[in-house]
Amino acid sequence: MQRFSFARTATDGKARAGLISTPRGDIRTPAFMPVGTAATVKAMMPGSVRETGADILLGNTYHLMLRPTAERIDRLGGLHKFMNWERPILTDSGGFQVMSLAALRKLTENGVTFKSHIDGSKHEITPERSMEIQRLLGSDIVMCFDECPALPAEKATIAQSMQLSMRWAARSRDAFGDRPGHALFGIQQGGLEPDLRAESAAALTDIGFDGYAVGGLAVGEGQEAMFGCLDFAPDQLPQDKPRYLMGVGKPDDIVGAVARGIDMMDCVLPSRSGRTGQVFTRRGVVNIKNARHADDPRPLDEACRCPACRNYSRAYLHHVFRSQEIISSMLLTWHNLTYYQDLMEEMRTAIAEGVFGAWQDNFHSARADGDIAPI
């Protein structure tokens, strides 16, 4: 079977363009992964997600282990068949959701016990159990199990958490074993501290992974602090492996991350924002709920290729959102995901052509201009 591989095809400063190859298809990088938390990208059909340009989706270990359970998905043929998405899937380890959602969690050297946020049932995730769940799901890229402390936190607390995550990373590597065609990513921790990040990167590199994530960011530290960390953290990781920034983010977060050497990102923002009437465009954020759109016959973005922009006016999109029609979530999510994928394609092209700096200037300039004037 074809093995997982990564090749850089171009660089421009720290920004990198490349290709991840898997048995289920290639992933062009920089890549944005739409989030299919519960085996669905909300308000979207899988074929429509693919039409936006997505090469890979993210599934959520924590949510899927609770409902419908990994064992049931395995019996039904695996996550790809279950959700009708035959291209690559990355599953997170469940660690972040345990931190942010679970009630009465108890952390030990062995793992985490917690009560489900759904029904209060008791569960345990260990590195070994996380690997088992992700194997049952059949995901192409598996994340090692880690602990993610909320920021800000004392340095000693961050160090203790990071070192526990590194021990769990070694156990994840052992439990994952040799699975041709599947990849295991390690997760760098260490908060905003360069020395702790370096210690984490060294430990992960010594263990050896197919890719490396920068974890523990986008947890309340703010963009300036996040960029400050990304100025050094990706450089501490192996150059010849993909780098994944977990849970990011807004368009300007993504552009800044790519400029600092990140290859992969995921976030619920484009789909969640679509359901709440927040629309991302080349001119910045548009709130379709605002009354200024009620009589506007123009598209959201005349340069956009999505069905919302090709076939519907701002007035219609405003109307169906205010009327709470299901088509509103569908069209606005489709638009946002298309915008994100077009953003990635533009960055890949700019990096390949060696004009990424100029492209960044144009990106920020267009957003600073703001939305088109009301009619």
Side-chain angles (χ1 to χ4, degrees):
M1 177 182 285
Q2 175 191 345
R3 298 189 75 94
F4 177 96
S5 65
F6 171 65
R8 287 174 293 165
T9 56
T11 59
D12 188 352
K14 288 187 177 183
R16 299 141 50 105
L19 193 71
I20 296 171
S21 296
T22 82
R24 291 189 179 272
D26 292 337
I27 304 159
R28 299 162 294 170
T29 63
F32 178 81
M33 298 181 284
V35 176
T37 300
T40 174
V41 178
K42 289 181 174 63
M44 295 288 287
M45 297 288 285
S48 303
V49 177
R50 177 61 177 153
E51 285 182 33
T52 68
D55 293 334
I56 179 173
L57 297 183
L58 183 142
N60 189 278
T61 292
Y62 170 85
H63 288 279
L64 294 172
M65 71 171 278
L66 296 178
R67 185 174 57 192
T69 77
E71 287 75 13
R72 176 169 288 146
I73 291 174
D74 180 47
R75 290 195 301 270
L76 293 168
L79 185 55
H80 296 84
K81 182 179 180 181
F82 187 61
M83 67 181 294
N84 190 30
W85 175 266
E86 289 304 321
R87 293 193 59 81
I89 295 174
L90 180 149
T91 47
D92 59 16
S93 70
F96 178 78
Q97 283 72 30
V98 169
M99 177 198 80
S100 60
L101 294 178
L104 301 176
R105 70 185 185 107
K106 181 180 180 182
L107 179 70
T108 69
E109 182 68 34
N110 191 51
V112 183
T113 56
F114 62 94
K115 287 189 176 181
S116 164
H117 75 286
I118 298 171
D119 59 10
S121 56
K122 190 174 180 180
H123 299 268
E124 181 180 33
I125 303 184
T126 65
E128 292 77 15
R129 176 59 177 154
S130 178
M131 296 303 100
E132 179 187 24
I133 294 167
Q134 294 181 80
R135 178 186 60 78
L136 290 168
L137 295 175
S139 53
D140 305 279
I141 301 177
V142 172
M143 302 304 297
C144 70
F145 188 57
D146 68 330
E147 200 228 343
C148 178
L151 298 180
E154 295 293 329
K155 184 172 182 178
T157 301
I158 295 170
Q160 184 178 28
S161 171
M162 179 273 291
Q163 289 157 2
L164 175 62
S165 288
M166 296 308 98
R167 296 191 294 275
W168 284 358
R171 287 168 56 190
S172 296
R173 173 80 267 179
D174 290 342
F176 179 82
D178 184 21
R179 298 179 58 204
H182 300 266
L184 179 64
F185 280 27
I187 304 175
Q188 181 199 45
Q189 292 289 353
L192 305 176
E193 308 293 337
D195 57 333
L196 297 183
R197 287 277 173 183
E199 181 183 339
S200 177
L204 294 172
T205 304
D206 186 56
I207 296 167
F209 290 94
D210 302 296
Y212 297 84
V214 179
L217 296 178
V219 290
E221 74 282 357
Q223 187 190 75
E224 183 179 355
M226 180 180 74
F227 281 171
C229 184
L230 291 177
D231 282 336
F232 61 82
D235 296 333
Q236 297 170 337
L237 299 169
Q239 294 282 327
D240 61 344
K241 303 289 185 181
R243 301 161 173 169
Y244 164 32
L245 178 59
M246 307 178 76
V248 172
K250 295 179 181 177
D252 53 336
D253 293 335
I254 288 173
V255 171
V258 169
R260 290 163 173 82
I262 294 296
D263 304 304
M264 304 167 67
M265 286 137 289
D266 78 279
C267 192
V268 298
L269 195 61
S271 49
R272 178 180 291 168
S273 295
R275 300 193 302 277
T276 60
Q278 188 176 62
V279 186
F280 297 98
T281 76
R282 289 162 178 79
R283 290 175 169 266
V285 177
V286 172
N287 288 309
I288 201 63
K289 68 187 79 171
N290 291 349
R292 60 161 285 187
H293 304 295
D295 291 302
D296 197 331
R298 298 170 296 180
L300 280 172
D301 185 340
E302 63 182 11
C304 180
R305 60 188 171 86
C306 83
C309 292
R310 288 201 319 267
N311 302 324
Y312 299 96
S313 66
R314 290 181 176 219
Y316 179 78
L317 296 171
H318 170 82
H319 161 68
V320 291
F321 178 82
R322 295 298 290 255
S323 301
Q324 299 183 337
E325 292 291 342
I326 294 171
I327 196 173
S328 173
S329 294
M330 296 164 61
L331 289 173
L332 297 183
T333 300
W334 199 327
H335 169 83
N336 280 348
L337 290 175
T338 300
Y339 170 78
Y340 269 60
Q341 295 301 337
D342 286 352
L343 185 67
M344 309 316 288
E345 177 62 24
E346 289 178 17
M347 286 193 288
R348 290 191 293 262
T349 299
I351 294 166
E353 294 177 354
V355 295
F356 186 68
W359 179 90
Q360 278 192 93
D361 292 341
N362 291 335
F363 166 80
H364 291 297
S365 175
R367 288 170 62 83
D369 288 342
D371 193 16
I372 54 178
I375 288 179

